[in-house]
Amino acid sequence: MGKRAEALELAVLGLLHDAPLHGYELRKRVNSLLGWGRAFSYGTLYPTLKAMVRLNYLAEDEPVDTMVPPASHRSGRRGRIAYRLTPEGKERFAELLTQTGPSAWDDEHFGVHFAFFGRADADTRLRILIGRRSRLQEKLDQFRTSLSRTRERLDAYTVELQRHGLESVEREVKWLDGLISAEQRSMDPSPGATPTPGAGQPPAPVTGNEGENGR
Amino acid sequence: MGKRAEALELAVLGLLHDAPLHGYELRKRVNSLLGWGRAFSYGTLYPTLKAMVRLNYLAEDEPVDTMVPPASHRSGRRGRIAYRLTPEGKERFAELLTQTGPSAWDDEHFGVHFAFFGRADADTRLRILIGRRSRLQEKLDQFRTSLSRTRERLDAYTVELQRHGLESVEREVKWLDGLISAEQRSMDPSPGATPTPGAGQPPAPVTGNEGENGR
DNA sequence: GAATCGATGTATCGAACCGATACATCATGT
DNA sequence: ACATGATGTATCGGTTCGATACATCGATTC
């Protein structure tokens, strides 16, 4: 199926879980959900949607009122197609949510999985976070060794690029550390006391985030 | 030609500028040069190399001694092919170095261009840095608006993901700010005084980098 | 009121690209 | 002797992208 489409599948399932959407809107949400990363194109989205319909994870609805202002006449319209999750789709979503292999913490996958952490159980969350962390740690190590091997013959700009790349990954690791310890704090503290009902809040991540947004 | 292969072309030209290399080694260097980003596969590298040979930017050398320890017998060897830059290749490299459009500050391209800043003139460097900065600023803006539009209905993990993504881009912008002002400082300060000879150092970037690697 | 424009919307195609694999040599270990 | 793993060149099938075609709608403008 391809890594990329795999990530897209999860994103679609997650976004459609609450409400049906049509392709255009779906694409916007997926791409803003992942934000920083590469955007999905229609050439990927529509084939994937069709495949998911074929697998019976999705069903197509012709008329949808979402956002159509007056629901007026529209006779010969080539209407928008709203995609809706089937029961099998919900199962599939639940199944993907519990996955904890590399298919959850790879670069392509981690973002989507994290975005739906609220729907996963604490155990899965922790496993994925830790897996992701060690994945980054690997990258960091081989990075550092390759840097120290060639440090002499690099010009200053190249070095600066490497340094900046390294620093970014290091920050990522620290971010994960905060998230991990927050998760652990919220599941450990006293066995038998308020075991986080239902799905749950993220346990107050330890980022140095001072809120600059009014509201 | 495709954005990705375009970036690869510049990387190959730059790496081969100093010394000939064979494919395997070339790939390793390209991918460690770019570090954080996606790695190039052989399925991209070899076709690109062939295309560049066809365009006469590169020439193939059969026997190469680089790193072959004892240079022993090897009779029926299917030897490594060393790629070497032709004069046309050097021209092409110089041409690509002076480009300052989006093809220099896009996500795909910026890293490679930056890596070879030492070979570009100060003017080009500054234009690319500024272009890159405004590119990121755009992304930042649309990010922030899309966030404030949907802030209410997002669960906490999704918000945290967005926040982290935003912070990363913000850091990137600050990094660029440091580089930009450093460049400006090194070309402006007093017209006629030590105008940075030849290619030059990167002008002491203003990162708050405390070295924590014990070497 | 028609004409232009940009946003919204579905859909597909060719080209670009990746991931896996085949194949071969060599050093090393057992 | 045989396996294992690093080095090395090369290609193929399938995935994914970027561009485009096409269509409807609301707003703006003359």
Side-chain angles (χ1 to χ4, degrees), chain B residues 3 7 10 18 20 30 50 92 99 123 133 141 148 173 188 196 204:
Chain B
K3 280 203 222 174
L10 178 56
D18 297 323
V30 170
K50 288 200 172 164
R92 177 64 174 161
Q99 290 202 337
D123 210 52
R133 192 193 184 285
D141 289 344
S148 71
V173 170
D188 250 11
T196 49

Side-chain angles (χ1 to χ4, degrees), chain B residues 68-135:
Chain B
V68 176
S72 49
H73 52 297
R74 61 188 140 107
S75 47
R77 57 137 175 54
R78 183 248 263 261
R80 13 165 112 142
I81 299 167
Y83 295 89
R84 159 177 54 81
L85 227 58
T86 65
E88 288 90 336
K90 295 197 181 187
E91 274 177 49
R92 177 64 174 161
F93 182 57
E95 184 193 331
L96 289 179
L97 268 189
T98 64
Q99 290 202 337
T100 55
S103 64
W105 56 62
D106 264 7
D107 290 337
E108 300 288 359
H109 297 100
F110 176 73
V112 205
H113 276 265
F114 187 88
F116 296 120
F117 261 15
R119 311 263 228 312
D121 55 295
D123 210 52
T124 306
R125 288 200 288 261
L126 197 54
R127 260 203 294 272
I128 292 180
L129 287 174
I130 290 176
R132 176 67 181 164
R133 192 193 184 285
S134 74
R135 178 77 183 72

Side-chain angles (χ1 to χ4, degrees), chain B residues 1 5 8 41-54:
Chain B
M1 194 187 183
L8 182 54
S41 69
Y42 289 120
T44 307
L45 175 62
Y46 281 115
T48 299
L49 286 177
K50 288 200 172 164
M52 291 175 73
V53 167
R54 191 162 33 75

Side-chain angles (χ1 to χ4, degrees), chain A residues 159-203:
Chain A
V159 170
E160 175 57 20
L161 182 61
Q162 301 279 333
R163 195 201 60 71
H164 178 248
L166 211 72
E167 192 192 290
S168 297
V169 184
E170 277 165 358
R171 294 196 64 79
E172 198 86 10
V173 170
K174 277 180 194 160
W175 181 62
L176 287 171
D177 281 339
L179 293 168
I180 288 171
S181 71
E183 291 284 349
Q184 284 172 334
R185 234 180 303 118
S186 85
M187 66 191 296
D188 249 13
S190 54
T194 56
T196 50
Q201 324 297 92

Side-chain angles (χ1 to χ4, degrees), chain A residues 139 143 161-162 165 169, chain B residues 29-39:
Chain A
K139 191 180 288 199
F143 220 94
L161 182 61
Q162 301 279 333
V169 184
Chain B
R29 300 227 185 165
V30 170
N31 287 337
S32 95
L33 190 70
L34 282 320
W36 31 258
R38 294 149 65 213

Side-chain angles (χ1 to χ4, degrees), chain B residues 86-204:
Chain B
T86 65
E88 288 90 336
K90 295 197 181 187
E91 274 177 49
R92 177 64 174 161
F93 182 57
E95 184 193 331
L96 289 179
L97 268 189
T98 64
Q99 290 202 337
T100 55
S103 64
W105 56 62
D106 264 7
D107 290 337
E108 300 288 359
H109 297 100
F110 176 73
V112 205
H113 276 265
F114 187 88
F116 296 120
F117 261 15
R119 311 263 228 312
D121 55 295
D123 210 52
T124 306
R125 288 200 288 261
L126 197 54
R127 260 203 294 272
I128 292 180
L129 287 174
I130 290 176
R132 176 67 181 164
R133 192 193 184 285
S134 74
R135 178 77 183 72
L136 287 183
Q137 194 64 53
E138 274 175 36
K139 190 179 286 197
L140 218 50
D141 289 344
Q142 78 186 99
F143 220 94
R144 274 199 261 253
T145 52
S146 111
L147 218 172
S148 71
R149 270 196 296 96
T150 57
R151 193 155 27 82
E152 326 269 290
R153 58 165 169 272
L154 294 180
D155 83 281
Y157 282 107
T158 311
V159 170
E160 174 58 18
L161 183 60
Q162 302 278 333
R163 196 202 59 71
H164 178 248
L166 210 72
E167 193 192 288
S168 297
V169 184
E170 277 166 357
R171 295 197 66 80
E172 197 86 10
V173 170
K174 276 180 196 160
W175 181 63
L176 287 171
D177 282 339
L179 293 169
I180 288 171
S181 71
E183 291 283 349
Q184 284 172 334
R185 234 181 303 120
S186 84
M187 66 192 294
D188 250 11
S190 53
T194 54
T196 49
Q201 326 296 92

Side-chain angles (χ1 to χ4, degrees), chain A residues 98-117:
Chain A
T98 63
Q99 290 202 338
T100 54
S103 64
W105 57 63
D106 264 7
D107 290 337
E108 300 288 359
H109 298 99
F110 175 73
V112 206
H113 276 265
F114 186 87
F116 296 121
F117 261 15

